[in-house]
Amino acid sequence: MSRKEEFNFKIIIIIIIVIFISLSLRLIQLQLLTGKNYLTEAEDNILRRSFTKAARGLIFDCKGNILVNNKPSFLLTITPAKLKNKEKTYGIIEKIICMSNKEIEEKILYSPYPLFTPVEIKHDLSFQTVAEITELLPDLEGVSIETEPIRNYPMNNLASHVLGYVGLITEEELKKSGEQFQPWEIIGKDGIELYYDSYLRGKQGIKEMEINAGGKIVKILGETVPIGGNNLYLTIDTGLQLICEQALEVMLKKLAGETGDTKGGAVVALCPKTGEVLALCSKPDFNPNLFSTGISQKDYEELISNNWKPMFNRSLAGLYPPASTFKIVTGSASLEEHLASSWTTFNCPGFIKVEEQIFNCDLKTGHGQIDFIHAISKSCDVVFYELGMDLGLEKIRYYADEFNIGKKTGIDLPGENPGLLPSGEWKKKELKEDWYIGDTVNLSIGQGYLLTTPLQMAVATSILANDGTFYPPHIVQKIESETGEIIYEYKPKNIRSINVAKENLEAIKKGMAMAVTEGTASEAGIKDLKIAGKTGTAENVPTPENPEGENHTWFIAFAPADNPEIVISVFLEQAGGYAGKTAVPLGREILKNYFNLKNKNE
Amino acid sequence: MNKFLKNFDLTLFITVIMAILFGIIMIYSASYRENGLPSEVRRQLIFFVMGLILMGIMIAIDYEFWGKMRVHLYIFTIILLIFVLLKGDIIRGAQSWITLGPLGRFQPSELAKLALIITLAQTISNNKKNINNVKALLKIGLHIGFPIILILIQPDLGTALVLVAITFTMLFWSGINPFYLIGLIILGGGITPFVLHEYQWKRLTIFLNPEKDPTGDGWNIIQSKIAIGSGQLSGKGLLNGTQCQLDFVPEHSTDFIFSVIGEELGFIGCILCLAVFFIIIWRCLSIARNSKDSQGTLIALGVTAMIIFHITVNVGMTIGIMPITGIPLPFISIGGSSLITNLMATGLLLNIKLRSKKTLFS
């Protein structure tokens, strides 16, 4: 070869060497550096996992009536890899299922599945829709109709705050749970559905298969059968729950008048001997069925825009001053501390003056000479101002704590608020002020900084009613597996007796009985039924949420007074007026219907 | 006899046989789960035997004879290429096949490659002195351009590009001004997007970002990368290639056979395969270097260019750095025409080496 040819030859050699090196480097990159990822992708390709959803456990009331179950429903799925003509297919189905092209595409894009698994496009299809789609199925490659169980609340709004609702797990919830959940699982979001989610959720069945590129199953590698969720038996009495909710609704409508705002309220009913929660309601409420397949934008907006917060469970999360209902604590404390006895007489001029500040009695003209029992019956503030001052903050706090005020009751529902039992340190820390004697005065009649939930007041009343034993309130009595095996049965625990003598509690009870026969709760009187109760009217300063500064009203009661079967705590938010005309008649309605129902059934 | 053996490039011969046998093993593994298993392997073996016979003929006939017959060769090639355009079978979108009754189908463009290497080598060799002369370049351009166009009409872009690569290599070595070549490449590259159909252009460029169409044009590349990548160091083992055997990599016996190698034999298998090819190329270059005349060198360089282009584009395609062009892997991919052509080319090279010392058949 000539010199030039030699040179060119060498260049050719170099180019060839570069080619081989490049190919080798790329192989190093693919197989050695990122090979593991590709292995995972390879397995993803050929391993198909199909899940059979497990049925979520059922929820029953105390008599075995169904409160929550599952109903079969139809859903539309699309398997992206099987779609032959995307545009045409979308065009056909979008009119029938009322979803735009873009919405369908989005669902597929956000699906965490690989391309060969069906993506859920629309749930809860009507029979009409199913019929229409089924007719067209031969032209709709990749589209399929499947059945799934969806959560069903046959009683709609009834006990919605107790039961809660379910929904698709969100990204944050996924992250928080660790690796427990799959991205498409339905979990409880509130109430019993949330609190007992791990019991209610079953275990999905998994089928592992090896498939080829055509999606054809080549081999089944393994299969597990789905395990249904456990069934819950609640302490809730549906009959009573209905009574409470209806009575509360009627009263709220009445208070709203012709054009006014229907405000909010709560009712809690306990069995004093066991702590069973017989009824628990909060109004306004919501329909959990709306959430079962994902709440629509419209429904969500409606719930959010209601100022009275239908999703908010007032009974255990709402914080309000208990007002005169707190006198059962102040009263018990005074008796126990020997600052008074049931026949001690006081003088009520209608007000007291403490350090230049005037505190009025609820009867501005004064009750005059009044004994301890009548002071409870008539709810004389002056008597309790004096008792409170004699007790002092620390003693009041001690006995309030005994009655489980200022801390959680431990009920098996999410979202319970412990309330606020103020102290000197608390005030210093939060309000940068010292505790004034005036604060104690307010505290003695359940106003000032003290905040409780309707549930706490029910529990306090319950402690009183059963002569001083705290039974933690509970809603779930029994849990059974899908085969009937008992997984859990409520056993009483954390029971304690309070440090107040039985006689002292009896005295308070006597005062409460008198309140119903002749005192502030006289509207509660029912023939042939001895009821004991205490009213409470909380005065409020005007705030943005309460621009008129309307009173809250309370009524706590138990019946029959000498051998209580039921304790109720009734609360009306910003009801205005006095408890005697609002919360008390509501309580009466509830107790009347409850005992009628009971007598009918016996 | 000793002289014969001395100039017989045993290395080339053995490595080519090894490559073919390796290919048959991989084809067996690739089609293991399919029903057509025995037939694919059987056909490749038959073509192997046929190819060996033809290779023997090529070894025996002096390559200068082909040079002298170049006009006949050229006319025969053009006739074949025109015939295939008129009466050929269309398979996979290209009218590239002629059916010979019971003998099966063959692709004239494969044979055309070898024939044109010979005729082009002679043409260039005759014009070596004034290779940069416009008249000479025009002669060469028309000579190879005409069959290239006939092949492009089929359409067979891959084979056309192989011919371009062969031509460029031969011209480059002969001393053409390299800027002419660069200019042609830029010109060709510039025209291509306008000359091709939308879908052809898309299929050509999808390798740059296959994720853009994962279930359509990008599928092959994505799946091939997954298959090869998942083989990691030593592969999943023979017969255990799930991606290829479960059809995730289509054409796994033909164009994507390297994916099977990558998946089942891993990095080690791939490098060994490339090493075998490297040895073959090395021997081709050695034969080119030591040829007794420039025509021999040009033929050897042409064959080298053909083989290396096939390897680069085919392997490159399976690992995602080259566009998809339907070019088979020499000696390994299933394909009778390709196997026979490559074996005949090997025979031609062996002959060139045998003739490289004038003392042999005086």
Side-chain angles (χ1 to χ4, degrees):
Chain A
M1 290 184 206
S2 72
R3 280 251 311 271
K4 187 120 196 289
E5 286 165 350
E6 276 285 345
F7 178 72
N8 291 338
F9 196 80
K10 289 203 176 73
I11 302 264
I12 292 174
I13 294 177
I14 291 176
I15 292 177
I16 288 175
I17 292 181
V18 167
I19 288 175
F20 273 99
I21 292 181
S22 309
L23 293 176
S24 307
L25 284 176
R26 172 65 166 184
L27 282 171
I28 290 178
Q29 180 202 18
L30 276 186
Q31 295 180 303
L32 301 180
L33 296 179
T34 56
K36 240 207 186 139
N37 297 345
Y38 283 115
L39 188 60
T40 313
E41 278 197 62
E43 284 172 353
D44 278 346
N45 271 350
I46 64 169
L47 281 175
R48 190 67 62 241
R49 270 200 179 160
S50 76
F51 293 91
T52 323
K53 296 199 183 145
R56 200 169 164 86
L58 309 175
I59 304 183
F60 299 93
D61 78 350
C62 68
K63 295 209 172 70
N65 300 315
I66 196 78
L67 288 172
V68 186
N69 58 13
N70 309 298
K71 68 174 187 200
S73 93
F74 294 101
L75 82 141
L76 183 110
T77 68
I78 292 183
T79 310
K82 291 213 182 119
L83 276 179
K84 284 282 158 71
N85 187 339
K86 230 177 13 175
E87 305 300 325
K88 179 163 151 250
T89 309
Y90 288 179
I92 296 177
I93 61 174
E94 63 179 356
K95 288 197 197 74
I96 304 180
I97 63 172
C98 304
M99 269 177 82
S100 77
N101 213 315
K102 205 172 119 210
E103 289 173 318
I104 301 175
E105 191 65 41
E106 252 181 50
K107 277 254 153 113
I108 294 185
L109 230 69
Y110 285 124
S111 146
Y113 307 96
L115 292 165
F116 282 97
T117 316
V119 177
E120 298 172 5
I121 302 294
K122 180 138 191 208
H123 298 264
D124 207 13
L125 304 173
S126 67
F127 280 124
Q128 166 97 353
T129 309
V130 170
E132 283 179 42
I133 300 263
T134 310
E135 256 195 82
L136 301 168
L137 271 181
D139 289 322
L140 298 171
E141 292 246 10
V143 175
S144 127
I145 301 271
E146 296 176 26
T147 56
E148 59 166 358
I150 62 170
R151 205 61 166 156
N152 179 44
Y153 303 83
M155 311 256 225
N156 294 320
N157 289 38
L158 189 77
S160 46
H161 283 110
V162 170
L163 301 171
Y165 61 96
V166 297
L168 260 176
I169 189 165
T170 63
E171 267 195 64
E172 296 132 50
E173 287 165 337
L174 246 185
K175 270 195 215 128
K176 261 206 288 187
S177 80
E179 295 289 300
Q180 265 188 67
F181 294 105
Q182 309 281 5
W184 56 84
E185 282 200 61
I186 303 275
I187 61 167
K189 300 275 182 159
D190 201 1
I192 293 281
E193 296 275 22
L194 171 60
Y195 201 88
Y196 287 91
D197 185 62
S198 56
Y199 286 97
L200 289 167
R201 237 184 323 120
K203 217 160 140 237
Q204 299 184 92
I206 303 178
K207 196 154 91 166
E208 267 196 15
M209 307 161 281
E210 193 179 79
I211 63 155
N212 69 9
K216 197 173 109 176
I217 299 172
V218 166
K219 210 168 25 173
I220 295 192
L221 299 168
E223 199 168 350
T224 55
V225 180
I227 302 176
N230 302 308
N231 298 325
L232 265 50
Y233 291 85
L234 305 185
T235 57
I236 300 284
D237 180 344
T238 307
L240 177 59
Q241 181 82 20
L242 254 170
I243 289 170
C244 293
E245 292 202 10
Q246 276 171 2
L248 182 54
E249 253 190 71
V250 166
M251 177 55 72
L252 286 174
K253 274 217 183 73
K254 181 159 161 246
L255 290 173
E258 294 286 312
T259 53
D261 226 352
T262 311
K263 299 183 183 174
V267 174
V268 178
L270 305 174
C271 173
K273 296 206 178 89
T274 60
E276 288 168 30
V277 177
L278 303 172
L280 186 134
C281 42
S282 170
K283 292 272 177 194
D285 55 17
F286 59 97
N287 186 346
N289 283 309
L290 293 175
F291 292 88
S292 290
T293 55
I295 188 168
S296 75
Q297 186 72 2
K298 175 166 155 275
D299 290 328
Y300 187 67
E301 302 268 307
E302 234 183 279
L303 286 174
I304 292 290
S305 59
N306 184 341
N307 285 328
W308 293 94
K309 304 207 196 97
M311 306 297 297
F312 181 66
N313 188 349
R314 289 174 162 73
S315 58
L316 46 76
L319 295 179
Y320 314 99
S324 301
T325 59
F326 188 69
K327 288 173 184 166
I328 63 174
V329 174
T330 323
S332 309
S334 312
L335 293 177
E336 188 68 18
E337 294 287 319
H338 304 292
L339 296 172
S341 68
S342 31
W343 48 83
T344 309
T345 341
F346 304 83
N347 181 37
C348 169
F351 69 95
I352 63 166
K353 188 158 159 204
V354 179
E355 285 182 1
E356 306 304 317
Q357 211 179 341
I358 305 263
F359 293 86
N360 285 311
C361 185
D362 58 324
L363 188 62
K364 294 238 177 69
T365 48
H367 295 92
Q369 295 284 92
I370 184 169
D371 69 45
F372 185 82
I373 305 288
H374 280 86
I376 298 177
S377 163
K378 299 238 191 276
S379 201
C380 171
D381 293 334
V382 166
V383 168
F384 286 91
Y385 288 151
E386 292 184 1
L387 290 173
M389 283 195 287
D390 286 341
L391 279 168
L393 172 63
E394 289 315 311
K395 287 255 161 59
I396 298 179
R397 279 176 47 79
Y398 174 77
Y399 285 96
D401 185 80
E402 286 287 285
F403 277 92
N404 211 81
I405 295 199
K407 52 191 185 189
K408 290 194 193 183
T409 62
I411 191 173
D412 46 354
L413 279 178
E416 186 183 10
N417 196 316
L420 173 63
L421 181 59
S423 67
E425 295 86 52
W426 170 85
K427 196 177 178 206
K428 226 355 177 330
K429 185 161 167 258
E430 299 295 323
L431 303 175
K432 315 281 195 286
E433 277 179 6
D434 292 321
W435 188 264
Y436 302 139
I437 187 75
D439 295 328
T440 309
V441 173
N442 276 328
L443 181 58
S444 351
I445 61 159
Q447 299 254 203
Y449 305 114
L450 178 64
L451 294 171
T452 62
T453 65
L455 173 62
Q456 280 173 329
M457 291 321 293
V459 167
T461 313
S462 192
I463 294 175
L464 179 70
N466 62 34
D467 296 327
T469 314
F470 167 62
Y471 291 97
H474 62 280
I475 293 204
V476 166
Q477 188 69 17
K478 189 170 69 166
I479 300 182
E480 265 180 18
S481 76
E482 87 178 317
T483 49
E485 207 187 305
I486 295 185
I487 304 239
Y488 164 83
E489 221 169 340
Y490 177 79
K491 294 271 173 345
K493 56 177 197 248
N494 297 336
I495 302 181
R496 61 179 171 85
S497 293
I498 68 170
N499 265 334
V500 178
K502 185 161 172 236
E503 313 85 69
N504 294 333
L505 295 174
E506 288 293 338
I508 306 286
K509 286 204 235 180
K510 203 157 149 211
M512 287 170 75
M514 196 181 285
V516 173
T517 51
E518 52 175 85
T520 56
S522 57
E523 299 270 339
I526 297 176
K527 186 156 171 269
D528 294 332
L529 182 64
K530 261 186 91 180
I531 303 175
K534 182 76 198 75
T535 55
T537 304
E539 290 179 354
N540 295 313
V541 291
T543 62
E545 295 87 42
N546 188 357
E548 311 278 318
E550 300 277 25
N551 297 339
H552 300 317
T553 58
W554 294 83
F555 180 49
I556 52 177
F558 54 91
D562 36 21
N563 191 11
E565 294 170 18
I566 178 173
V567 166
I568 60 171
S569 161
V570 170
F571 172 75
L572 291 165
E573 190 170 338
Q574 294 182 31
Y578 290 94
K581 297 283 182 196
T582 54
V584 172
L586 172 53
R588 178 183 190 274
E589 190 66 21
I590 293 172
L591 292 171
K592 183 180 92 178
N593 287 325
Y594 174 69
F595 283 101
N596 278 346
L597 191 65
K598 217 167 126 312
N599 291 335
K600 244 197 276 184
N601 287 338
E602 270 159 19
Chain B
M1 195 53 185
N2 284 338
K3 286 189 184 147
F4 175 79
L5 283 175
K6 207 157 122 210
N7 274 350
F8 184 78
D9 197 325
L10 206 57
T11 313
L12 177 60
F13 181 72
I14 291 182
T15 23
V16 163
I17 304 288
M18 271 172 62
I20 296 175
L21 291 174
F22 174 62
I24 289 179
I25 294 176
M26 293 321 295
I27 293 168
Y28 176 76
S29 175
S31 9
Y32 182 55
R33 293 210 206 183
E34 282 171 30
N35 295 331
L37 153 66
S39 80
E40 300 221 305
V41 172
R42 197 164 14 107
R43 277 175 51 217
Q44 190 81 339
L45 277 168
I46 292 176
F47 286 121
F48 181 29
V49 169
M50 278 171 69
L52 277 177
I53 296 173
L54 288 168
M55 177 168 96
I57 297 177
M58 297 302 284
I59 293 176
I61 299 179
D62 192 338
Y63 67 91
E64 287 172 338
F65 169 70
W66 301 114
K68 293 198 188 96
M69 296 288 289
R70 76 178 196 282
V71 176
H72 301 78
L73 264 180
Y74 189 75
I75 293 175
F76 179 63
T77 305
I78 297 293
I79 290 176
L80 262 184
L81 287 176
I82 292 178
F83 182 75
V84 94
L85 284 178
L86 296 173
K87 287 283 189 91
D89 300 329
I90 302 181
I91 295 175
R92 285 197 258 128
Q95 195 161 353
S96 326
W97 301 80
I98 296 178
T99 312
L100 295 176
L103 290 170
R105 289 187 304 255
F106 87 100
Q107 265 185 304
S109 27
E110 290 288 331
L111 286 174
K113 282 191 287 198
L114 192 54
L116 287 168
I117 286 178
I118 296 172
T119 62
L120 188 63
Q122 192 66 42
T123 312
I124 291 178
S125 174
N126 290 348
N127 288 294
K128 220 167 57 123
K129 298 222 176 60
N130 42 353
I131 193 76
N132 283 312
N133 188 312
V134 177
K135 218 169 103 182
L137 288 174
L138 213 58
K139 248 204 259 183
I140 296 169
L142 282 170
H143 178 100
I144 194 67
F146 186 37
I148 286 184
I149 290 176
L150 287 175
I151 290 175
L152 272 175
I153 295 179
Q154 286 181 3
D156 188 349
L157 183 61
T159 305
L161 285 174
V162 178
L163 286 170
V164 170
I166 293 170
T167 313
F168 277 26
T169 308
M170 290 199 209
L171 285 174
F172 177 71
W173 178 75
S174 306
I176 194 177
N177 184 341
F179 289 109
Y180 289 173
L181 295 178
I182 294 174
L184 268 173
I185 292 176
I186 294 177
L187 190 69
I191 292 183
T192 322
F194 300 100
V195 153
L196 291 177
H197 289 256
E198 173 91 33
Y199 79 91
Q200 284 172 318
W201 179 244
K202 195 162 153 249
R203 206 167 323 145
L204 209 56
T205 53
I206 193 75
F207 79 99
L208 293 165
N209 188 5
E211 280 75 21
K212 249 204 271 182
D213 190 2
T215 53
D217 287 332
W219 174 258
N220 291 8
I221 301 178
I222 295 175
Q223 292 305 321
S224 176
K225 274 160 62 178
I226 290 177
I228 294 179
S230 65
Q232 293 186 277
L233 186 61
S234 54
K236 296 179 185 160
L238 215 51
L239 303 183
N240 287 342
T242 49
Q243 301 310 106
C244 294
Q245 294 184 21
L246 290 175
D247 264 341
F248 282 91
V249 182
E251 310 293 345
H252 49 261
S253 308
T254 53
D255 297 349
F256 280 86
I257 192 75
F258 196 74
S259 311
V260 182
I261 298 174
E263 185 180 19
E264 299 190 0
L265 304 177
F267 181 72
I268 292 177
C270 290
I271 290 300
L272 282 176
C273 181
L274 287 181
V276 167
F277 279 127
F278 189 74
I279 294 173
I280 294 177
I281 295 290
W282 165 50
R283 295 319 304 157
C284 293
L285 285 172
S286 165
I287 291 174
R289 165 70 85 76
N290 295 318
S291 165
K292 73 172 196 254
D293 54 19
S294 59
Q295 194 198 341
T297 307
L298 282 164
I299 293 177
L301 278 177
V303 171
T304 308
M306 177 175 81
I307 296 181
I308 192 75
F309 187 82
H310 273 248
I311 295 172
T312 311
V313 172
N314 181 288
V315 173
M317 168 182 76
T318 62
I319 57 182
I321 58 176
M322 281 276 159
I324 297 193
T325 44
I327 287 188
L329 193 60
F331 304 116
I332 297 185
S333 282
I334 275 192
S337 315
S338 163
L339 186 56
I340 288 178
T341 304
N342 288 330
L343 277 169
M344 285 170 71
T346 309
L348 189 54
L349 252 51
L350 287 169
N351 177 276
I352 294 177
K353 172 118 196 254
L354 283 172
R355 299 273 182 247
S356 66
K357 294 268 168 51
K358 284 200 173 116
T359 54
L360 195 49
F361 291 119
S362 12

